[in-house]
Amino acid sequence: MNVLVINCGSSSLKYQLINSESEAVLAKGLCERIGIDGVLTYQKAGLDKEVTEAAMPTHKEAIKLVLDALVNDKTGAIASLEEVGAVGHRIVHGGEKFASSAVITDEMLATVEECNELAPLHNPANLIGINACKDLMPGVPMVGVFDTAFHQTMPEKAYLYGLPHEYYEKYGVRRYGFHGTSHSFVSKHMADFLGMDINNSKIIVAHLGNGSSISAVLNGKCVDTSMGLTPLEGLPMGTRSGDIDPAIMEFIAKKEDLDIAGVMNVLNKKSGVLGISKVSSDFRDLEDGMAEGNKLCEAAIEVFSYKVAKYIGSYVAAMNGVDAIAFTAGVGENAPIVREKVMGYLGYLGIAVDAEANSKRGKDLVISTPDSKVKVCIIPTNEELAIARETVALV
Ligand code: ADP
């Protein structure tokens, strides 16, 4: 079966057409500037990328353009839309309502809408994409795959904040966690790759990208994760602050004459490694800066790596041990310097690094030495494939 995987943002839409038997990507691309003007990127497997400007007043026109491109006479990946057996949609927030993926029905969508308040920037965009697909592909089964679902197994002690309990009761204020599709995929895949029994395993996944989060996975189930009510908590990220003393918000608001929205904008868009380095949110730029002697670029990489190591240490405590650690996502897969610095803090766990293996990037690889007490791996994430698999399993 061919599965169309859709990941809708507020003004963008990423897509992949995946054959579920071979797990090959038949075509992929994205729509950008939806609601502004519109740019479609389309790439059939084995061919060059095509970039076209085309009006996309709403997500519906964007999806129509994607479907047209998929069946285009010259570079289409399929002959007709009948060859799309199902659509898998990424949905950011499922609150406590969804502990796993779910087939999309009117009732299911109404439940997703109840979670909109928890992710006001993301969930409404996800729903627009789903409704557009329903209009354009009536009768094709669709599945929603939630970023939060994998983390729903966290125990109360991990998800409750030290806040008045009534905020949890009235508003659902608790830790939810994100990147769940990636944490689930990578933990399972690493267990397979290492020949471990996932039902008897202690795994830590470090998903380090532009947004970063870490999870503790005990016997295949998430028991803790670093992102919280929103994706702002946890590690310092490309532009997000991660954990800070909450009192900093009032202090900065007064000093800089900002309201709550102004402070949130700073914490979401101007902080993290961008804020520390004053140079960039991209680790490639930070590495270049560091090589040129820029001390703030070096500080940004140090702060990030130190915090990753501290989270790993805390999750070793949460699980009373660890068997294997996975590095994944843009930074985790491609930045040997970050992995080296993180593992430099973990000698007490009996971790020893294979420097030669750690200099590589981007493929399943063990980067610890054979005698290391904990296995450390690079495991490239593949959220689209994970969504396609979930979709096939449910339809
Ligand atoms: P997201 O999905 O959160 O947007 P990714 O997981 O794709 O992010 O990660 C993107 C980040 O990965 C970039 O901002 C950059 O910091 C980092 N990155 C990508 N390639 C490299 C590389 N070759 N070396 C170092 N860092 C890289």
Side-chain angles (χ1 to χ4, degrees), residues 343 346-347 349-355 367-374 376:
M343 287 186 284
L346 304 177
L349 293 173
I351 289 180
V353 187
D354 177 341
I367 56 172
S368 49
T369 59
D371 60 346
S372 176
K373 291 216 174 73
V374 177
V376 185

Side-chain angles (χ1 to χ4, degrees), residues 179 207-211 281-284 287 329-331 334-335 361:
H179 295 138
H207 176 111
L208 312 178
N210 198 21
S281 61
D282 193 307
F283 278 72
R284 286 164 285 202
E287 284 175 32
V331 178
N334 296 299
R361 53 188 81 204

Side-chain angles (χ1 to χ4, degrees), residues 175 226 232-237 241-245 307 311:
R175 174 182 313 286
S226 59
L232 184 55
E233 194 184 347
L235 298 166
M237 311 181 203
S241 66
D243 305 334
I244 57 165
D245 177 349
K307 196 67 189 271
Y311 261 105

Side-chain angles (χ1 to χ4, degrees), residues 91-150:
I91 304 178
V92 168
H93 220 308
E96 287 184 327
K97 313 265 183 190
F98 295 96
S100 58
S101 306
V103 173
I104 293 176
T105 60
D106 290 344
E107 195 188 353
M108 178 270 192
L109 289 180
T111 313
V112 173
E113 229 166 280
E114 290 170 25
C115 306
N116 280 8
E117 230 182 18
L118 293 168
L121 295 179
H122 295 98
N123 269 28
N126 300 155
L127 285 167
I128 290 170
I130 292 171
N131 285 321
C133 278
K134 278 176 65 187
D135 286 352
L136 292 166
M137 311 170 80
V140 177
M142 303 198 189
V143 169
V145 180
F146 298 89
D147 276 26
T148 49
F150 182 62

Side-chain angles (χ1 to χ4, degrees), residues 353-370:
V353 187
D354 177 341
E356 158 74 17
N358 186 49
S359 67
K360 304 204 169 109
R361 53 188 81 204
K363 59 173 181 183
D364 292 344
L365 199 67
V366 179
I367 56 172
S368 49
T369 59

